[in-house]
Amino acid sequence: MNKPVVVSEEMLTEPVIVADVAPAAKAAGPAYIVLAGISFSHFLNDTMQSLIASVYPILKDTYALDFAQIGMITLAFQFTASLLQPVVGHYTDKKAQPYSLAIGMASTFFGLLLLSAAQQYLVILVAAALVGLGSAVFHPESARIARLASGGRYGFAQSVFQLGGSFGTSMGPVLAALIVVPFGQGSIAWFSSIAFLAILILWRIGRWYAPQIKAKQTAAVQAHPDAPSSRRVAVALLVLVALLFSKQLYVSSLSSYYIFYLIDRFGVSTQAAQIYLFIFLAANAVGAFLGGPLGDRFGRKIVIWISILGALPFTLALPYAGLVGSAVLSIVIGLIISSTTSSIIVFAQELVPHRFGMISGVFFGVAFGIGGLGAAVLGELADRTSIEFVYQVCAYLPAIGLLAVFLPKLPRHTR
């Protein structure tokens, strides 16, 4: 099914139009069972990852951590994933690893066990880094499998894949409120059973994936006559990174500190604040699913424009809203701003299709890295000022969406 192309390094930014899904596969449509399996695995993976942020109040109270130290935990988790994902993607471009997903999930398994038993801050950082390592292995290759099973509906497949991850992220606060808060840090070990289930599913998907891998063949590199120049491709990639920066940093500010914001400003309980966080993250999941098909139908550039700039009025209003208003605005923001993720990733993949794994790794990695670095910086800012001030500053981040004007128009058949 997959027909990879080998090119020289100096041609890295040349936009190559390749049919990585065979015509017969396109006619047959998406492989729904495989898409469902990889999306469910993404759900399990991100459910476990989201537990880290969800247990921050427990860790903060138990070990007397400040906001900067909380941010460093996020950085340890996100930086590991950010650093390794492009490396994994680059390697799997050359040699696909169908069983690497199950092996990478084992890192998350041990990371959760270590986090449940950690008694020192340094051990907590190591446990978070192990979970990040599992994410680094999981995302690039699983994104490739989703595209391979897309039947040519790339935006739809990416949205299905993202949907699992987004709902997994939203489940973390709920599970923390129902299990971790009542039963304590040690209950995190119970979630290692989820990691074990994910290992079994990913091993089965690896068995499906292995026969699809064919020997690489050298092919001539020919750009479509209407494709953007290599310079425009490079500029477009930088713009997409900046757009992802604005989206992911804002989402990270809510994911990491929204609980503290609600507790400090409105005096709600930790469990109630986690439910409000779940509402925001669930809206993110719905928006992430809708964005891909909309990009397939109307064009990814239009979706990127609307989803980032469209959130700006609501992010500006959030710091001044009451409790109910904040909940409503968080839903609207989540629906709008998250719909851009699939379009940004698929747009980047179409700009550099001969480096699919590396590009997927870079963009997934940048998303994680920006979230981690941003969480650390915002934590330091919150210590020096206040949580309310952080959200007043972050409210302007969607304005970076104006950079979408520099994105090129891709040939129609590549979208």
Side-chain angles (χ1 to χ4, degrees):
M1 291 177 69
N2 200 15
K3 296 181 179 180
V5 179
V6 177
V7 296
S8 59
E9 291 300 323
E10 57 268 21
M11 296 176 179
L12 177 61
T13 58
E14 286 295 331
V16 186
I17 309 304
V18 295
D20 60 341
V21 175
K26 288 186 177 181
Y32 291 108
I33 294 179
V34 177
L35 284 178
I38 202 67
S39 180
F40 184 61
S41 299
H42 200 187
F43 167 80
L44 297 176
N45 180 77
D46 286 20
T47 295
M48 293 177 289
Q49 293 179 9
S50 66
L51 284 173
I52 295 178
S54 299
V55 300
Y56 282 169
I58 296 176
L59 298 177
K60 187 176 187 295
D61 293 340
T62 303
Y63 302 103
L65 305 180
D66 57 30
F67 286 119
Q69 289 175 307
I70 293 292
M72 286 301 298
I73 297 174
T74 303
L75 180 60
F77 161 63
Q78 306 283 27
F79 181 75
T80 305
S82 175
L83 181 66
L84 294 182
Q85 280 197 45
V87 177
V88 172
H90 178 70
Y91 179 76
T92 54
D93 275 337
K94 297 181 178 181
K95 186 176 181 180
Q97 301 292 321
Y99 298 105
S100 62
L101 298 176
I103 296 173
M105 189 60 64
S107 176
T108 301
F109 176 84
F110 290 113
L112 290 175
L113 290 177
L114 185 61
L115 182 61
S116 69
Q119 299 295 322
Q120 297 179 345
Y121 180 65
L122 180 60
V123 178
I124 293 174
L125 293 179
V126 173
L130 283 175
V131 178
L133 177 61
S135 175
V137 176
F138 175 82
H139 284 96
E141 197 71 344
S142 57
R144 187 196 304 275
I145 293 174
R147 187 176 180 90
L148 185 63
S150 69
R153 297 175 61 187
Y154 303 129
F156 168 76
Q158 186 62 224
S159 283
V160 171
F161 175 65
Q162 292 292 335
L163 178 66
S166 298
F167 267 118
T169 300
S170 69
M171 284 301 297
V174 175
L175 294 176
L178 296 177
I179 299 175
V180 181
V181 171
F183 297 100
Q185 181 183 345
S187 63
I188 297 175
W190 301 352
F191 294 95
S192 61
S193 60
I194 297 179
F196 184 74
L197 174 61
I199 290 172
L200 296 179
I201 295 173
L202 292 172
W203 189 266
R204 184 66 184 87
I205 290 176
R207 292 182 61 187
W208 172 88
Y209 181 32
Q212 317 298 326
I213 303 170
K214 296 182 179 180
K216 290 183 178 292
Q217 300 175 350
T218 303
V221 178
Q222 293 183 350
H224 188 280
D226 297 327
S229 65
S230 58
R231 180 180 178 182
R232 290 214 67 188
V233 169
V235 171
L237 290 175
L238 291 175
V239 169
L240 290 173
V241 169
L243 296 177
L244 193 61
F245 168 83
S246 66
K247 180 262 181 186
Q248 193 63 26
L249 184 55
Y250 187 83
V251 172
S252 178
S253 72
L254 285 177
S255 300
S256 296
Y257 301 109
Y258 193 44
I259 290 176
F260 299 112
Y261 173 76
L262 294 175
I263 293 174
D264 290 347
R265 182 170 182 188
F266 302 111
V268 300
S269 67
T270 298
Q271 288 179 302
Q274 287 170 330
I275 298 300
Y276 282 108
L277 178 58
F278 163 75
I279 292 174
F280 165 72
L281 295 175
N284 262 271
V286 175
F289 175 73
L290 295 177
L294 289 174
D296 286 339
R297 176 66 179 84
F298 300 105
R300 312 197 200 289
K301 187 174 179 179
I302 295 176
V303 172
I304 291 171
W305 265 107
I306 295 175
S307 61
I308 296 183
L309 275 180
L312 183 60
F314 305 102
T315 61
L316 290 174
L318 181 63
Y320 306 99
L323 179 59
V324 176
S326 295
V328 173
L329 286 173
S330 71
I331 294 173
V332 177
I333 293 169
L335 286 171
I336 296 176
I337 202 169
S338 64
S339 63
T340 192
T341 305
S342 296
S343 291
I344 288 178
I345 292 174
V346 176
F347 200 108
Q349 292 168 348
E350 291 171 346
L351 284 170
V352 195
H354 55 288
R355 287 290 185 268
F356 175 78
M358 186 187 71
I359 288 297
S360 299
V362 166
F363 274 80
F364 279 116
V366 165
F368 282 117
I370 288 174
L373 181 60
V377 173
L378 293 177
E380 184 67 27
L381 181 62
D383 284 333
R384 294 178 179 271
T385 57
S386 66
I387 289 290
E388 289 82 0
F389 180 75
V390 166
Y391 283 108
Q392 290 173 357
V393 172
C394 290
Y396 293 92
L397 285 171
I400 297 177
L402 290 170
L403 292 175
V405 71
F406 296 106
L407 292 177
K409 182 180 179 180
L410 296 179
R412 183 173 180 81
H413 73 275
T414 69
R415 293 200 299 256

PDB file of all heavy atoms in Angstrom, residues 206-221:
ATOM      1  N   GLY A 206       0.484  -3.810  14.857  1.00  0.00           N
ATOM      2  CA  GLY A 206       1.792  -4.031  14.254  1.00  0.00           C
ATOM      3  C   GLY A 206       1.784  -5.238  13.328  1.00  0.00           C
ATOM      4  O   GLY A 206       2.456  -5.231  12.276  1.00  0.00           O
ATOM      5  N   ARG A 207       1.028  -6.266  13.680  1.00  0.00           N
ATOM      6  CA  ARG A 207       0.920  -7.452  12.819  1.00  0.00           C
ATOM      7  C   ARG A 207       0.212  -7.107  11.517  1.00  0.00           C
ATOM      8  O   ARG A 207       0.511  -7.678  10.468  1.00  0.00           O
ATOM      9  CB  ARG A 207       0.184  -8.568  13.546  1.00  0.00           C
ATOM     10  CG  ARG A 207       0.960  -9.151  14.728  1.00  0.00           C
ATOM     11  CD  ARG A 207       0.196 -10.281  15.384  1.00  0.00           C
ATOM     12  NE  ARG A 207      -0.033 -11.388  14.447  1.00  0.00           N
ATOM     13  CZ  ARG A 207      -0.788 -12.449  14.725  1.00  0.00           C
ATOM     14  NH1 ARG A 207      -1.400 -12.530  15.911  1.00  0.00           N
ATOM     15  NH2 ARG A 207      -0.949 -13.409  13.830  1.00  0.00           N
ATOM     16  N   TRP A 208      -0.770  -6.185  11.551  1.00  0.00           N
ATOM     17  CA  TRP A 208      -1.413  -5.726  10.321  1.00  0.00           C
ATOM     18  C   TRP A 208      -0.467  -4.859   9.502  1.00  0.00           C
ATOM     19  O   TRP A 208      -0.431  -4.937   8.275  1.00  0.00           O
ATOM     20  CB  TRP A 208      -2.676  -4.934  10.661  1.00  0.00           C
ATOM     21  CG  TRP A 208      -3.289  -4.254   9.459  1.00  0.00           C
ATOM     22  CD1 TRP A 208      -4.201  -4.785   8.585  1.00  0.00           C
ATOM     23  CD2 TRP A 208      -3.029  -2.916   8.997  1.00  0.00           C
ATOM     24  NE1 TRP A 208      -4.517  -3.874   7.617  1.00  0.00           N
ATOM     25  CE2 TRP A 208      -3.805  -2.715   7.841  1.00  0.00           C
ATOM     26  CE3 TRP A 208      -2.204  -1.872   9.441  1.00  0.00           C
ATOM     27  CZ2 TRP A 208      -3.805  -1.516   7.121  1.00  0.00           C
ATOM     28  CZ3 TRP A 208      -2.185  -0.688   8.731  1.00  0.00           C
ATOM     29  CH2 TRP A 208      -2.981  -0.508   7.591  1.00  0.00           C
ATOM     30  N   TYR A 209       0.300  -4.033  10.195  1.00  0.00           N
ATOM     31  CA  TYR A 209       1.163  -3.057   9.532  1.00  0.00           C
ATOM     32  C   TYR A 209       2.359  -3.710   8.841  1.00  0.00           C
ATOM     33  O   TYR A 209       2.754  -3.297   7.748  1.00  0.00           O
ATOM     34  CB  TYR A 209       1.628  -2.047  10.583  1.00  0.00           C
ATOM     35  CG  TYR A 209       2.516  -0.933  10.094  1.00  0.00           C
ATOM     36  CD1 TYR A 209       2.398  -0.415   8.808  1.00  0.00           C
ATOM     37  CD2 TYR A 209       3.480  -0.382  10.935  1.00  0.00           C
ATOM     38  CE1 TYR A 209       3.207   0.623   8.384  1.00  0.00           C
ATOM     39  CE2 TYR A 209       4.287   0.653  10.517  1.00  0.00           C
ATOM     40  CZ  TYR A 209       4.147   1.149   9.244  1.00  0.00           C
ATOM     41  OH  TYR A 209       4.956   2.165   8.827  1.00  0.00           O
ATOM     42  N   ALA A 210       2.912  -4.741   9.458  1.00  0.00           N
ATOM     43  CA  ALA A 210       4.149  -5.349   8.935  1.00  0.00           C
ATOM     44  C   ALA A 210       4.046  -5.776   7.480  1.00  0.00           C
ATOM     45  O   ALA A 210       4.948  -5.479   6.676  1.00  0.00           O
ATOM     46  CB  ALA A 210       4.561  -6.523   9.825  1.00  0.00           C
ATOM     47  N   PRO A 211       2.989  -6.470   7.043  1.00  0.00           N
ATOM     48  CA  PRO A 211       2.927  -6.870   5.627  1.00  0.00           C
ATOM     49  C   PRO A 211       2.756  -5.706   4.658  1.00  0.00           C
ATOM     50  O   PRO A 211       2.995  -5.868   3.459  1.00  0.00           O
ATOM     51  CB  PRO A 211       1.681  -7.786   5.587  1.00  0.00           C
ATOM     52  CG  PRO A 211       1.451  -8.205   6.985  1.00  0.00           C
ATOM     53  CD  PRO A 211       1.886  -7.059   7.819  1.00  0.00           C
ATOM     54  N   GLN A 212       2.321  -4.536   5.175  1.00  0.00           N
ATOM     55  CA  GLN A 212       2.120  -3.390   4.299  1.00  0.00           C
ATOM     56  C   GLN A 212       3.441  -2.719   3.909  1.00  0.00           C
ATOM     57  O   GLN A 212       3.478  -1.928   2.966  1.00  0.00           O
ATOM     58  CB  GLN A 212       1.221  -2.348   4.991  1.00  0.00           C
ATOM     59  CG  GLN A 212       0.011  -2.911   5.724  1.00  0.00           C
ATOM     60  CD  GLN A 212      -0.950  -3.619   4.820  1.00  0.00           C
ATOM     61  OE1 GLN A 212      -1.125  -3.231   3.669  1.00  0.00           O
ATOM     62  NE2 GLN A 212      -1.581  -4.666   5.325  1.00  0.00           N
ATOM     63  N   ILE A 213       4.490  -3.020   4.666  1.00  0.00           N
ATOM     64  CA  ILE A 213       5.776  -2.368   4.444  1.00  0.00           C
ATOM     65  C   ILE A 213       6.487  -3.025   3.268  1.00  0.00           C
ATOM     66  O   ILE A 213       6.707  -4.229   3.270  1.00  0.00           O
ATOM     67  CB  ILE A 213       6.664  -2.445   5.703  1.00  0.00           C
ATOM     68  CG1 ILE A 213       5.936  -1.812   6.887  1.00  0.00           C
ATOM     69  CG2 ILE A 213       7.994  -1.771   5.456  1.00  0.00           C
ATOM     70  CD1 ILE A 213       6.629  -2.053   8.204  1.00  0.00           C
ATOM     71  N   LYS A 214       6.842  -2.243   2.291  1.00  0.00           N
ATOM     72  CA  LYS A 214       7.559  -2.754   1.121  1.00  0.00           C
ATOM     73  C   LYS A 214       8.967  -2.184   1.093  1.00  0.00           C
ATOM     74  O   LYS A 214       9.256  -1.150   1.695  1.00  0.00           O
ATOM     75  CB  LYS A 214       6.827  -2.381  -0.162  1.00  0.00           C
ATOM     76  CG  LYS A 214       5.441  -3.022  -0.290  1.00  0.00           C
ATOM     77  CD  LYS A 214       4.804  -2.644  -1.605  1.00  0.00           C
ATOM     78  CE  LYS A 214       3.438  -3.295  -1.766  1.00  0.00           C
ATOM     79  NZ  LYS A 214       2.807  -2.936  -3.055  1.00  0.00           N
ATOM     80  N   ALA A 215       9.817  -2.861   0.351  1.00  0.00           N
ATOM     81  CA  ALA A 215      11.180  -2.361   0.200  1.00  0.00           C
ATOM     82  C   ALA A 215      11.152  -1.009  -0.496  1.00  0.00           C
ATOM     83  O   ALA A 215      10.383  -0.773  -1.432  1.00  0.00           O
ATOM     84  CB  ALA A 215      12.006  -3.345  -0.612  1.00  0.00           C
ATOM     85  N   LYS A 216      12.005  -0.116  -0.016  1.00  0.00           N
ATOM     86  CA  LYS A 216      12.051   1.222  -0.595  1.00  0.00           C
ATOM     87  C   LYS A 216      12.671   1.171  -1.984  1.00  0.00           C
ATOM     88  O   LYS A 216      13.618   0.445  -2.235  1.00  0.00           O
ATOM     89  CB  LYS A 216      12.851   2.165   0.314  1.00  0.00           C
ATOM     90  CG  LYS A 216      12.136   2.483   1.603  1.00  0.00           C
ATOM     91  CD  LYS A 216      12.940   3.469   2.407  1.00  0.00           C
ATOM     92  CE  LYS A 216      12.197   3.831   3.678  1.00  0.00           C
ATOM     93  NZ  LYS A 216      11.001   4.598   3.404  1.00  0.00           N
ATOM     94  N   GLN A 217      12.119   1.950  -2.864  1.00  0.00           N
ATOM     95  CA  GLN A 217      12.627   2.037  -4.225  1.00  0.00           C
ATOM     96  C   GLN A 217      12.955   3.477  -4.536  1.00  0.00           C
ATOM     97  O   GLN A 217      12.236   4.393  -4.153  1.00  0.00           O
ATOM     98  CB  GLN A 217      11.581   1.515  -5.225  1.00  0.00           C
ATOM     99  CG  GLN A 217      11.190   0.056  -4.978  1.00  0.00           C
ATOM    100  CD  GLN A 217      10.072  -0.380  -5.893  1.00  0.00           C
ATOM    101  OE1 GLN A 217       9.473   0.436  -6.582  1.00  0.00           O
ATOM    102  NE2 GLN A 217       9.811  -1.663  -5.915  1.00  0.00           N
ATOM    103  N   THR A 218      14.048   3.680  -5.241  1.00  0.00           N
ATOM    104  CA  THR A 218      14.431   5.030  -5.641  1.00  0.00           C
ATOM    105  C   THR A 218      13.514   5.509  -6.751  1.00  0.00           C
ATOM    106  O   THR A 218      13.269   4.794  -7.710  1.00  0.00           O
ATOM    107  CB  THR A 218      15.884   5.067  -6.127  1.00  0.00           C
ATOM    108  OG1 THR A 218      16.714   4.568  -5.085  1.00  0.00           O
ATOM    109  CG2 THR A 218      16.300   6.474  -6.511  1.00  0.00           C
ATOM    110  N   ALA A 219      13.015   6.710  -6.620  1.00  0.00           N
ATOM    111  CA  ALA A 219      12.123   7.275  -7.631  1.00  0.00           C
ATOM    112  C   ALA A 219      12.556   8.686  -7.965  1.00  0.00           C
ATOM    113  O   ALA A 219      13.158   9.372  -7.150  1.00  0.00           O
ATOM    114  CB  ALA A 219      10.680   7.278  -7.113  1.00  0.00           C
ATOM    115  N   ALA A 220      12.245   9.113  -9.159  1.00  0.00           N
ATOM    116  CA  ALA A 220      12.618  10.464  -9.579  1.00  0.00           C
ATOM    117  C   ALA A 220      11.778  11.477  -8.828  1.00  0.00           C
ATOM    118  O   ALA A 220      10.595  11.274  -8.572  1.00  0.00           O
ATOM    119  CB  ALA A 220      12.385  10.627 -11.080  1.00  0.00           C
ATOM    120  N   VAL A 221      12.405  12.574  -8.469  1.00  0.00           N
ATOM    121  CA  VAL A 221      11.717  13.624  -7.740  1.00  0.00           C
ATOM    122  C   VAL A 221      11.187  14.645  -8.726  1.00  0.00           C
ATOM    123  O   VAL A 221      11.962  15.296  -9.426  1.00  0.00           O
ATOM    124  CB  VAL A 221      12.663  14.298  -6.727  1.00  0.00           C
ATOM    125  CG1 VAL A 221      11.944  15.426  -6.007  1.00  0.00           C
ATOM    126  CG2 VAL A 221      13.189  13.273  -5.755  1.00  0.00           C
TER     127      VAL A 221
END
